[in-house]
Amino acid sequence: MTDFDQLENDDELPKSKSQVKREMDALQEVGKKLLSLSKNQLKKIEMSDTLKDAIEESGRIKQNEAKRRHLQYIGRVMRTEDHETIAQRVALLDTTSAAYNKLFHQLEIKRDALIGENSKEVLSQYLDDNPNLEEIQLLRQLIRLSQKEASQEGNTSNRKKLFRLLREAEEKRLGLKD
């Protein structure tokens, strides 16, 4: 059996240098996004103490070359982390990401369905999907007030409050909020 035959039998081919470099660049990119988050947002992301220390240390580095090397270090540390989960969490916190926009639109659709004609069925389904929701009375009140606003076609403050409540509940469910 030749080396080529053995490679065909293996499930995973060895990675090329280019593939390894692309993966490291992707980890460094996630590291850059982590550096751009606020301290409050960083608390919402589960990571090791080593990565937390590296991120904290980066704030003290001023020289460009040192920043570049430190970013490479963060990329190396990210290899030992659950980097896929971290990348997903960062995407949900990054207002320019597709994941954030998708979540935002899903919440808008859910809000509009709660205000719409079949609101009782949608509400019961929402409560079944979110059994840990604490503000049920507030949710029902905001739905009623939003329905009144929709019929008057004027003020939208209660619709905004309803959206905010749905967003906070979703962030709690995803573990992005305490």
Side-chain angles (χ1 to χ4, degrees), residues 105-133:
H105 290 300
Q106 287 173 343
L107 290 173
E108 284 180 330
I109 291 168
K110 180 66 69 180
R111 178 201 59 201
D112 293 342
L114 285 168
I115 296 170
E117 293 177 21
N118 300 329
S119 63
K120 289 185 181 182
E121 293 102 27
V122 175
L123 177 61
S124 66
Q125 181 63 43
Y126 182 77
L127 293 175
D128 289 343
D129 293 344
N130 298 288
N132 297 332
L133 186 67

mmCIF file of all heavy atoms in Angstrom, residues 105-133:
data_model
loop_
_atom_site.group_PDB
_atom_site.id
_atom_site.type_symbol
_atom_site.label_atom_id
_atom_site.label_comp_id
_atom_site.label_asym_id
_atom_site.label_seq_id
_atom_site.Cartn_x
_atom_site.Cartn_y
_atom_site.Cartn_z
ATOM 1 N N HIS A 105 -33.611 40.590 13.553
ATOM 2 C CA HIS A 105 -34.788 40.427 12.679
ATOM 3 C C HIS A 105 -35.743 39.356 13.217
ATOM 4 O O HIS A 105 -36.966 39.514 13.111
ATOM 5 C CB HIS A 105 -34.363 40.113 11.251
ATOM 6 C CG HIS A 105 -33.719 41.280 10.567
ATOM 7 N ND1 HIS A 105 -34.356 42.490 10.375
ATOM 8 C CD2 HIS A 105 -32.473 41.434 10.049
ATOM 9 C CE1 HIS A 105 -33.537 43.326 9.771
ATOM 10 N NE2 HIS A 105 -32.389 42.714 9.564
ATOM 11 N N GLN A 106 -35.195 38.286 13.789
ATOM 12 C CA GLN A 106 -36.060 37.256 14.369
ATOM 13 C C GLN A 106 -36.872 37.831 15.532
ATOM 14 O O GLN A 106 -38.052 37.508 15.686
ATOM 15 C CB GLN A 106 -35.224 36.075 14.858
ATOM 16 C CG GLN A 106 -34.679 35.217 13.748
ATOM 17 C CD GLN A 106 -33.727 34.154 14.259
ATOM 18 O OE1 GLN A 106 -33.216 34.225 15.374
ATOM 19 N NE2 GLN A 106 -33.473 33.158 13.424
ATOM 20 N N LEU A 107 -36.237 38.687 16.323
ATOM 21 C CA LEU A 107 -36.945 39.307 17.446
ATOM 22 C C LEU A 107 -38.018 40.275 16.947
ATOM 23 O O LEU A 107 -39.098 40.369 17.535
ATOM 24 C CB LEU A 107 -35.965 40.018 18.374
ATOM 25 C CG LEU A 107 -35.056 39.104 19.190
ATOM 26 C CD1 LEU A 107 -34.010 39.918 19.942
ATOM 27 C CD2 LEU A 107 -35.856 38.240 20.139
ATOM 28 N N GLU A 108 -37.725 41.005 15.865
ATOM 29 C CA GLU A 108 -38.734 41.896 15.284
ATOM 30 C C GLU A 108 -39.944 41.100 14.789
ATOM 31 O O GLU A 108 -41.093 41.503 15.003
ATOM 32 C CB GLU A 108 -38.143 42.696 14.124
ATOM 33 C CG GLU A 108 -37.252 43.828 14.541
ATOM 34 C CD GLU A 108 -36.696 44.588 13.347
ATOM 35 O OE1 GLU A 108 -36.501 43.981 12.269
ATOM 36 O OE2 GLU A 108 -36.468 45.797 13.498
ATOM 37 N N ILE A 109 -39.681 39.982 14.140
ATOM 38 C CA ILE A 109 -40.757 39.129 13.634
ATOM 39 C C ILE A 109 -41.579 38.578 14.801
ATOM 40 O O ILE A 109 -42.811 38.559 14.754
ATOM 41 C CB ILE A 109 -40.181 37.994 12.756
ATOM 42 C CG1 ILE A 109 -39.621 38.581 11.457
ATOM 43 C CG2 ILE A 109 -41.228 36.920 12.483
ATOM 44 C CD1 ILE A 109 -38.785 37.614 10.651
ATOM 45 N N LYS A 110 -40.893 38.145 15.865
ATOM 46 C CA LYS A 110 -41.585 37.620 17.041
ATOM 47 C C LYS A 110 -42.446 38.710 17.681
ATOM 48 O O LYS A 110 -43.601 38.473 18.040
ATOM 49 C CB LYS A 110 -40.558 37.088 18.052
ATOM 50 C CG LYS A 110 -41.144 36.525 19.312
ATOM 51 C CD LYS A 110 -41.967 35.281 19.085
ATOM 52 C CE LYS A 110 -41.117 34.129 18.676
ATOM 53 N NZ LYS A 110 -41.866 32.901 18.450
ATOM 54 N N ARG A 111 -41.902 39.934 17.792
ATOM 55 C CA ARG A 111 -42.663 41.049 18.363
ATOM 56 C C ARG A 111 -43.905 41.337 17.530
ATOM 57 O O ARG A 111 -45.004 41.468 18.064
ATOM 58 C CB ARG A 111 -41.791 42.300 18.443
ATOM 59 C CG ARG A 111 -42.550 43.518 18.983
ATOM 60 C CD ARG A 111 -41.928 44.814 18.624
ATOM 61 N NE ARG A 111 -41.843 44.958 17.170
ATOM 62 C CZ ARG A 111 -41.004 45.784 16.574
ATOM 63 N NH1 ARG A 111 -40.185 46.526 17.271
ATOM 64 N NH2 ARG A 111 -40.974 45.876 15.261
ATOM 65 N N ASP A 112 -43.741 41.404 16.217
ATOM 66 C CA ASP A 112 -44.880 41.687 15.339
ATOM 67 C C ASP A 112 -45.930 40.571 15.404
ATOM 68 O O ASP A 112 -47.127 40.843 15.344
ATOM 69 C CB ASP A 112 -44.409 41.897 13.902
ATOM 70 C CG ASP A 112 -43.576 43.167 13.756
ATOM 71 O OD1 ASP A 112 -43.651 44.042 14.652
ATOM 72 O OD2 ASP A 112 -42.847 43.284 12.757
ATOM 73 N N ALA A 113 -45.477 39.327 15.564
ATOM 74 C CA ALA A 113 -46.428 38.213 15.687
ATOM 75 C C ALA A 113 -47.179 38.290 17.015
ATOM 76 O O ALA A 113 -48.374 37.986 17.067
ATOM 77 C CB ALA A 113 -45.685 36.884 15.576
ATOM 78 N N LEU A 114 -46.488 38.722 18.071
ATOM 79 C CA LEU A 114 -47.152 38.859 19.375
ATOM 80 C C LEU A 114 -48.195 39.969 19.358
ATOM 81 O O LEU A 114 -49.185 39.908 20.078
ATOM 82 C CB LEU A 114 -46.124 39.130 20.475
ATOM 83 C CG LEU A 114 -45.277 37.944 20.920
ATOM 84 C CD1 LEU A 114 -44.108 38.401 21.778
ATOM 85 C CD2 LEU A 114 -46.132 36.938 21.664
ATOM 86 N N ILE A 115 -47.987 40.967 18.525
ATOM 87 C CA ILE A 115 -48.930 42.080 18.422
ATOM 88 C C ILE A 115 -50.042 41.756 17.430
ATOM 89 O O ILE A 115 -51.143 42.277 17.525
ATOM 90 C CB ILE A 115 -48.188 43.376 17.990
ATOM 91 C CG1 ILE A 115 -47.192 43.782 19.065
ATOM 92 C CG2 ILE A 115 -49.163 44.509 17.743
ATOM 93 C CD1 ILE A 115 -46.261 44.898 18.640
ATOM 94 N N GLY A 116 -49.777 40.859 16.504
ATOM 95 C CA GLY A 116 -50.696 40.576 15.402
ATOM 96 C C GLY A 116 -51.985 39.886 15.801
ATOM 97 O O GLY A 116 -52.350 39.792 16.976
ATOM 98 N N GLU A 117 -52.681 39.369 14.795
ATOM 99 C CA GLU A 117 -54.024 38.804 14.970
ATOM 100 C C GLU A 117 -54.042 37.536 15.824
ATOM 101 O O GLU A 117 -54.949 37.345 16.620
ATOM 102 C CB GLU A 117 -54.636 38.499 13.601
ATOM 103 C CG GLU A 117 -54.923 39.744 12.799
ATOM 104 C CD GLU A 117 -55.469 39.417 11.427
ATOM 105 O OE1 GLU A 117 -55.986 38.302 11.231
ATOM 106 O OE2 GLU A 117 -55.385 40.283 10.540
ATOM 107 N N ASN A 118 -53.081 36.663 15.654
ATOM 108 C CA ASN A 118 -53.038 35.398 16.403
ATOM 109 C C ASN A 118 -52.172 35.523 17.647
ATOM 110 O O ASN A 118 -51.441 34.603 18.007
ATOM 111 C CB ASN A 118 -52.507 34.269 15.516
ATOM 112 C CG ASN A 118 -53.365 34.043 14.307
ATOM 113 O OD1 ASN A 118 -54.572 34.251 14.357
ATOM 114 N ND2 ASN A 118 -52.753 33.614 13.215
ATOM 115 N N SER A 119 -52.266 36.643 18.308
ATOM 116 C CA SER A 119 -51.342 36.934 19.402
ATOM 117 C C SER A 119 -51.466 35.947 20.558
ATOM 118 O O SER A 119 -50.473 35.621 21.194
ATOM 119 C CB SER A 119 -51.523 38.356 19.911
ATOM 120 O OG SER A 119 -52.808 38.529 20.450
ATOM 121 N N LYS A 120 -52.667 35.440 20.834
ATOM 122 C CA LYS A 120 -52.830 34.518 21.960
ATOM 123 C C LYS A 120 -52.099 33.202 21.708
ATOM 124 O O LYS A 120 -51.425 32.684 22.599
ATOM 125 C CB LYS A 120 -54.309 34.261 22.236
ATOM 126 C CG LYS A 120 -54.987 35.467 22.833
ATOM 127 C CD LYS A 120 -56.404 35.196 23.229
ATOM 128 C CE LYS A 120 -56.993 36.489 23.803
ATOM 129 N NZ LYS A 120 -58.352 36.314 24.268
ATOM 130 N N GLU A 121 -52.211 32.663 20.487
ATOM 131 C CA GLU A 121 -51.500 31.418 20.170
ATOM 132 C C GLU A 121 -49.992 31.647 20.166
ATOM 133 O O GLU A 121 -49.227 30.827 20.672
ATOM 134 C CB GLU A 121 -51.927 30.859 18.808
ATOM 135 C CG GLU A 121 -53.352 30.378 18.759
ATOM 136 C CD GLU A 121 -54.262 31.369 18.066
ATOM 137 O OE1 GLU A 121 -53.796 32.135 17.212
ATOM 138 O OE2 GLU A 121 -55.460 31.380 18.402
ATOM 139 N N VAL A 122 -49.565 32.776 19.595
ATOM 140 C CA VAL A 122 -48.138 33.086 19.534
ATOM 141 C C VAL A 122 -47.592 33.274 20.947
ATOM 142 O O VAL A 122 -46.502 32.791 21.265
ATOM 143 C CB VAL A 122 -47.882 34.342 18.663
ATOM 144 C CG1 VAL A 122 -46.423 34.742 18.694
ATOM 145 C CG2 VAL A 122 -48.326 34.090 17.227
ATOM 146 N N LEU A 123 -48.355 33.945 21.801
ATOM 147 C CA LEU A 123 -47.918 34.163 23.184
ATOM 148 C C LEU A 123 -47.812 32.840 23.927
ATOM 149 O O LEU A 123 -46.820 32.602 24.634
ATOM 150 C CB LEU A 123 -48.874 35.108 23.915
ATOM 151 C CG LEU A 123 -48.554 35.359 25.388
ATOM 152 C CD1 LEU A 123 -47.185 35.994 25.541
ATOM 153 C CD2 LEU A 123 -49.625 36.222 26.030
ATOM 154 N N SER A 124 -48.797 31.974 23.792
ATOM 155 C CA SER A 124 -48.724 30.689 24.498
ATOM 156 C C SER A 124 -47.542 29.861 23.998
ATOM 157 O O SER A 124 -46.845 29.220 24.791
ATOM 158 C CB SER A 124 -50.023 29.907 24.356
ATOM 159 O OG SER A 124 -50.233 29.514 23.029
ATOM 160 N N GLN A 125 -47.255 29.913 22.688
ATOM 161 C CA GLN A 125 -46.102 29.206 22.134
ATOM 162 C C GLN A 125 -44.803 29.815 22.660
ATOM 163 O O GLN A 125 -43.877 29.095 23.029
ATOM 164 C CB GLN A 125 -46.122 29.255 20.604
ATOM 165 C CG GLN A 125 -44.970 28.532 19.943
ATOM 166 C CD GLN A 125 -44.981 27.052 20.236
ATOM 167 O OE1 GLN A 125 -46.014 26.414 20.193
ATOM 168 N NE2 GLN A 125 -43.821 26.495 20.543
ATOM 169 N N TYR A 126 -44.760 31.147 22.729
ATOM 170 C CA TYR A 126 -43.569 31.831 23.238
ATOM 171 C C TYR A 126 -43.322 31.469 24.706
ATOM 172 O O TYR A 126 -42.184 31.219 25.105
ATOM 173 C CB TYR A 126 -43.718 33.351 23.080
ATOM 174 C CG TYR A 126 -42.502 34.114 23.539
ATOM 175 C CD1 TYR A 126 -41.357 34.178 22.760
ATOM 176 C CD2 TYR A 126 -42.492 34.764 24.769
ATOM 177 C CE1 TYR A 126 -40.232 34.856 23.184
ATOM 178 C CE2 TYR A 126 -41.373 35.452 25.207
ATOM 179 C CZ TYR A 126 -40.250 35.494 24.408
ATOM 180 O OH TYR A 126 -39.141 36.164 24.839
ATOM 181 N N LEU A 127 -44.379 31.415 25.500
ATOM 182 C CA LEU A 127 -44.231 31.064 26.913
ATOM 183 C C LEU A 127 -43.824 29.604 27.079
ATOM 184 O O LEU A 127 -43.080 29.271 28.004
ATOM 185 C CB LEU A 127 -45.523 31.361 27.674
ATOM 186 C CG LEU A 127 -45.879 32.846 27.793
ATOM 187 C CD1 LEU A 127 -47.226 33.019 28.464
ATOM 188 C CD2 LEU A 127 -44.794 33.619 28.522
ATOM 189 N N ASP A 128 -44.300 28.728 26.187
ATOM 190 C CA ASP A 128 -43.868 27.329 26.223
ATOM 191 C C ASP A 128 -42.385 27.209 25.879
ATOM 192 O O ASP A 128 -41.669 26.401 26.467
ATOM 193 C CB ASP A 128 -44.680 26.474 25.246
ATOM 194 C CG ASP A 128 -46.114 26.272 25.702
ATOM 195 O OD1 ASP A 128 -46.399 26.514 26.903
ATOM 196 O OD2 ASP A 128 -46.951 25.883 24.855
ATOM 197 N N ASP A 129 -41.928 28.020 24.912
ATOM 198 C CA ASP A 129 -40.526 27.985 24.492
ATOM 199 C C ASP A 129 -39.600 28.631 25.514
ATOM 200 O O ASP A 129 -38.397 28.350 25.531
ATOM 201 C CB ASP A 129 -40.352 28.695 23.145
ATOM 202 C CG ASP A 129 -41.044 27.958 22.005
ATOM 203 O OD1 ASP A 129 -41.385 26.769 22.184
ATOM 204 O OD2 ASP A 129 -41.246 28.576 20.945
ATOM 205 N N ASN A 130 -40.133 29.530 26.342
ATOM 206 C CA ASN A 130 -39.330 30.263 27.325
ATOM 207 C C ASN A 130 -39.927 30.083 28.723
ATOM 208 O O ASN A 130 -40.488 31.024 29.292
ATOM 209 C CB ASN A 130 -39.285 31.754 26.961
ATOM 210 C CG ASN A 130 -38.626 31.981 25.634
ATOM 211 O OD1 ASN A 130 -37.428 31.837 25.498
ATOM 212 N ND2 ASN A 130 -39.425 32.315 24.630
ATOM 213 N N PRO A 131 -39.795 28.893 29.308
ATOM 214 C CA PRO A 131 -40.423 28.646 30.611
ATOM 215 C C PRO A 131 -39.793 29.443 31.759
ATOM 216 O O PRO A 131 -40.418 29.620 32.792
ATOM 217 C CB PRO A 131 -40.228 27.143 30.815
ATOM 218 C CG PRO A 131 -39.050 26.789 29.979
ATOM 219 C CD PRO A 131 -39.078 27.732 28.812
ATOM 220 N N ASN A 132 -38.580 29.938 31.583
ATOM 221 C CA ASN A 132 -37.901 30.676 32.649
ATOM 222 C C ASN A 132 -38.190 32.168 32.616
ATOM 223 O O ASN A 132 -37.593 32.930 33.379
ATOM 224 C CB ASN A 132 -36.387 30.454 32.568
ATOM 225 C CG ASN A 132 -36.028 28.999 32.789
ATOM 226 O OD1 ASN A 132 -36.736 28.276 33.468
ATOM 227 N ND2 ASN A 132 -34.928 28.573 32.212
ATOM 228 N N LEU A 133 -39.061 32.603 31.747
ATOM 229 C CA LEU A 133 -39.386 34.023 31.636
ATOM 230 C C LEU A 133 -40.064 34.497 32.920
ATOM 231 O O LEU A 133 -41.043 33.902 33.365
ATOM 232 C CB LEU A 133 -40.301 34.265 30.433
ATOM 233 C CG LEU A 133 -40.604 35.709 30.099
ATOM 234 C CD1 LEU A 133 -39.339 36.408 29.614
ATOM 235 C CD2 LEU A 133 -41.679 35.801 29.054
#
